[in-house]
Amino acid sequence: IASRSQFTLISCGTALGTLLKNDIIPDFHAEMERSSFTANVQQQWLTKQVCERVTLLALNTVSTDITHKFNKVLLFAKGNDIGTEALNRGTEQALTPLKYCNPTVTNFAVTAACALNMTRLVLLGCDYGFRSQQHHHAKQSEYFNHKSRLANIAPKNEISVPDNHGGSVFSSRIL
């Protein structure tokens, strides 16, 4: 990307693999899931080289299997979460919970960017609508790698919503 030095790039969840396959290294990587399943899915992309260059943005719910890999981590307290409440009970200076960081990692990344005083945000490649059940994420994502743990996971086309070209796309209640 010719103008890459002119903006800050935050990858969200499994988008990291797609970016790295295209030799694009983000400045930040955002994760929010609690389980170690995420660490297993991401392990091939969380190399020493990547984790030394990229700063992790994570909620306090993210597994240490991920947070311990990165040299630089910005950890945010998840709003409306019992873990954040428990952390705040034992300290003199309470953590400020990050509100509106659900339900997707994109929500978290945008909220974290705002907390870091980033003021001009452009969202690219957010796969929240899909034309067919067979094409629900970027073609180079791990969802279409038959060896990946994500290969058999796909959002259900629960609803139809208007797209930005005058037609419609499928989505799910969460997305």
Side-chain angles (χ1 to χ4, degrees):
I1 303 173
S3 60
R4 178 64 186 89
S5 64
Q6 297 177 14
F7 58 90
T8 299
L9 178 62
I10 304 173
S11 64
C12 295
T14 57
L16 178 64
T18 305
L19 290 170
L20 294 175
K21 285 178 188 177
N22 289 281
D23 297 321
I24 300 170
I25 305 214
D27 301 293
F28 295 92
H29 176 63
E31 289 288 355
M32 66 175 276
E33 300 297 335
R34 329 189 155 255
S35 75
S36 58
F37 177 80
T38 302
N40 293 332
V41 168
Q42 297 285 54
Q43 76 180 20
Q44 68 180 317
W45 308 115
L46 299 180
T47 64
K48 183 177 181 185
Q49 178 188 10
V50 169
C51 293
E52 285 176 350
R53 288 184 64 183
V54 177
T55 300
L56 177 66
L57 303 175
L59 290 172
N60 62 294
T61 55
V62 171
S63 168
T64 55
D65 292 342
I66 292 178
T67 59
H68 287 170
K69 289 181 179 287
F70 286 82
N71 288 7
K72 296 175 279 182
V73 178
L74 295 175
L75 201 60
F76 295 87
K78 182 178 181 182
N80 200 29
D81 182 76
I82 191 64
T84 298
E85 293 299 318
L87 287 171
N88 279 339
R89 296 208 176 199
T91 63
E92 289 181 23
Q93 186 173 1
L95 301 169
T96 302
L98 196 62
K99 297 179 181 178
Y100 315 113
C101 58
N102 286 330
T104 70
V105 70
T106 306
N107 292 82
F108 164 58
V110 169
T111 306
C114 290
L116 295 170
N117 293 321
M118 295 180 188
T119 56
R120 293 181 64 200
L121 305 176
V122 177
L123 302 179
L124 302 171
C126 301
D127 334 27
Y128 297 123
F130 44 96
R131 295 211 182 278
S132 76
Q133 193 67 41
Q134 291 73 37
H135 300 100
H136 49 80
H137 278 81
K139 292 175 185 173
Q140 292 181 341
S141 78
E142 287 301 294
Y143 288 90
F144 301 109
N145 173 356
H146 70 279
K147 294 178 184 176
S148 170
R149 292 175 182 231
L150 297 176
N152 294 318
I153 298 174
K156 296 190 180 352
N157 54 351
E158 298 172 312
I159 58 175
S160 178
V161 295
D163 71 5
N164 57 346
H165 298 290
S168 63
V169 294
F170 295 110
S171 193
S172 72
R173 292 167 207 233
I174 291 175
L175 302 179

